[in-house]
């Protein structure tokens, strides 16, 4: 009976020491000017629980000391923080991610790609008559013009878009 009790006690000690205690962690997400950031997605990678920061940038979740939290937002760089680091300083500063998007001008008078390609084709002067200085016959001159025309048509086809935007 004594050995059975000591084996049971030993198993109890081993299993209880292996479990990490979880606690409620509350933190705040701020930007570089110390303004709170709302809608930051906070995920605990160890137990896959998640929370979204509120308007004041605060979030809360159950974690243990060794857990890792990943904070992500569309306008900021993703950040990984340990549960222990958040116990020391519950404020997480995220760095803004600037996205340079070129300006797009949309107007009803803007020509389509097909219209621009057609204008480019019409601007090329096709003189099919043989010139005395190039030493080509009329058939050779037509062959050269056809090759150039094919190049233009290939570039036109490359720039035509399948889907055109139409406001109507």
């Amino acid at each position: 009976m004594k050995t059975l009790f000591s084996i049971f006690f030993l198993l109890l000690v081993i299993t209880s020491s292996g479990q990490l205690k979880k606690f409620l962690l509350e933190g705040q997400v701020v930007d570089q000017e110390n303004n709170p950031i709302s809608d930051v997605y906070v995920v605990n990678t160890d137990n896959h629980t998640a929370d979204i920061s509120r308007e004041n940038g605060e979030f809360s979740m159950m974690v243990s000391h060794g857990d890792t939290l990943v904070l992500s937002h569309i306008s900021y760089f993703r950040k990984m923080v340990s549960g222990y680091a958040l116990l020391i300083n519950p404020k997480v500063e995220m760095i803004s991610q600037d996205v340079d998007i070129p300006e797009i001008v949309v107007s009803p008078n803007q020509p389509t790609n097909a219209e621009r390609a057609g204008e480019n084709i019409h601007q090329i002067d096709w003189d099919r008559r043989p010139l005395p200085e190039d030493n080509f016959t009329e058939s050779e001159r037509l062959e050269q013009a056809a090759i150039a025309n094919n190049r233009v048509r290939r570039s036109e086809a490359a720039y035509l878009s399948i889907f055109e935007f139409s406001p109507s």
Side-chain angles (χ1 to χ4, degrees):
M1 183 70 173
K2 192 174 186 179
T3 57
L4 184 62
F5 179 72
S6 35
I7 291 173
F8 177 72
F9 182 72
L10 184 63
L11 286 175
L12 182 66
V13 169
I14 291 172
T15 56
S16 67
S17 66
Q19 296 176 354
L20 295 174
K21 297 195 180 210
K22 295 206 176 275
F23 54 91
L24 181 66
L25 176 71
E26 293 181 351
Q28 185 182 25
V29 185
V30 295
D31 62 6
Q32 293 149 323
E33 286 86 33
N34 210 20
N35 298 323
I37 306 171
S38 62
D39 302 322
V40 176
Y41 191 62
V42 183
V43 178
N44 186 340
T45 59
D46 296 321
N47 61 10
H48 304 290
T49 57
D51 191 19
I52 297 175
S53 66
R54 293 170 275 295
E55 286 184 22
N56 58 1
E58 292 181 358
F59 65 93
S60 61
M61 63 178 18
M62 296 297 288
V63 296
S64 62
H65 290 285
D67 288 354
T68 302
L69 302 180
V70 177
L71 292 90
S72 61
H73 190 277
I74 192 165
S75 302
Y76 296 89
F77 287 107
R78 183 175 291 170
K79 189 159 193 172
M80 295 178 74
V81 182
S82 70
Y84 182 74
L86 284 173
L87 279 176
I88 296 171
N89 183 12
K91 211 174 252 194
V92 179
E93 181 180 307
M94 294 187 75
I95 299 171
S96 176
Q97 180 179 5
D98 294 331
V99 179
D100 294 330
I101 300 175
E103 180 181 357
I104 298 173
V105 178
V106 178
S107 72
N109 301 329
Q110 196 171 5
T112 64
N113 290 341
E115 292 169 345
R116 279 187 274 154
E119 290 172 9
N120 290 339
I121 290 173
H122 293 302
Q123 287 178 358
I124 299 173
D125 185 21
W126 299 103
D127 185 12
R128 293 184 171 83
R129 293 174 296 157
L131 299 174
E133 63 266 7
D134 64 6
N135 295 328
F136 283 137
T137 63
E138 188 173 345
S139 63
E140 291 172 337
R141 182 108 174 117
L142 284 173
E143 183 180 337
Q144 294 297 322
I147 290 170
N149 188 18
N150 285 341
R151 263 190 245 122
V152 170
R153 294 215 181 253
R154 276 191 220 110
S155 65
E156 174 189 326
Y159 288 107
L160 288 178
S161 62
I162 295 173
F163 299 105
E164 295 282 333
F165 173 75
S166 174
S168 58

